[in-house]
Amino acid sequence: MGRMMRVLKLVAALFVVLGLAACGGDSKFRTYNGPAVTKVVVHKADREMQLFHNEKVLKTYKISLGFAPVGHKQIEGDGKTPEGLYYIDRRNPRSRFHLSIGISYPNKADIAYAKSIGKQPGGEIFIHGKTGYKGDNKGDWTWGCIAVPDRQMEDIYAMVRDGTPIYINP
């Protein structure tokens, strides 16, 4: 009887392990073991974002921008993507746009300018996936964020650490 119980417990444990393995096969959380991403560079005019290790390009992505992409974001609701030097400052694993990493907009200069014209600078600027958008995901459609396909966002989320500088060029 003791041997039979051990066999049944072993079989039950095997089913639990196999069941858990089947559930975790399509995780949106990836791992990255390559060179550290030391900077992110966005070229708005080319709709391109590059991840660098020092001066070497590690990855290049096609991107979507704010629905009014020309010019620097100055006020809340203008549909523009910021320009200048910012930093990755947070991450959201439960983003309604799959995954997202935050950009440190607005900085002190952005806040001062908006205040000088009696407006709010806006905020909540992220690099994020495309799930959650009800449109066709083509062209520029965000409120100022940078969007990439979900699978690419999974890689970016794994590769880019908080504190990484992001240069957003016109």
Side-chain angles (χ1 to χ4, degrees), residues 7-104:
V7 170
L8 287 174
K9 285 182 182 180
L10 182 62
V11 170
L14 183 61
F15 277 113
V16 168
V17 168
L18 290 173
L20 290 174
C23 292
D26 194 29
S27 174
K28 66 183 179 178
F29 299 103
R30 310 271 176 209
T31 58
Y32 175 69
N33 296 316
V37 174
T38 57
K39 68 181 171 183
V40 177
V41 178
V42 173
H43 302 283
K44 288 172 56 174
D46 297 331
R47 303 303 187 273
E48 189 174 89
M49 180 173 67
Q50 296 175 308
L51 307 184
F52 282 82
H53 174 71
N54 298 323
E55 298 307 312
K56 180 183 180 205
V57 175
L58 297 173
K59 292 277 190 173
T60 300
Y61 300 96
K62 287 297 185 186
I63 60 172
S64 297
L65 299 170
F67 64 82
V70 177
H72 173 58
K73 182 167 195 61
Q74 295 181 318
I75 59 171
E76 187 172 38
D78 65 7
K80 296 181 184 302
T81 300
E83 294 174 357
L85 170 61
Y86 295 93
Y87 294 89
I88 301 302
D89 65 353
R90 63 200 180 280
R91 48 196 57 243
N92 183 357
R94 293 189 250 340
S95 171
R96 73 178 182 135
F97 297 106
H98 192 58
L99 291 170
S100 61
I101 56 176
I103 297 172
S104 63

Side-chain angles (χ1 to χ4, degrees), residues 131-148:
T131 294
Y133 177 63
K134 304 297 185 218
D136 63 9
N137 273 318
K138 294 181 181 165
D140 295 317
W141 55 270
T142 76
W143 284 89
C145 295
I146 298 164
V148 297

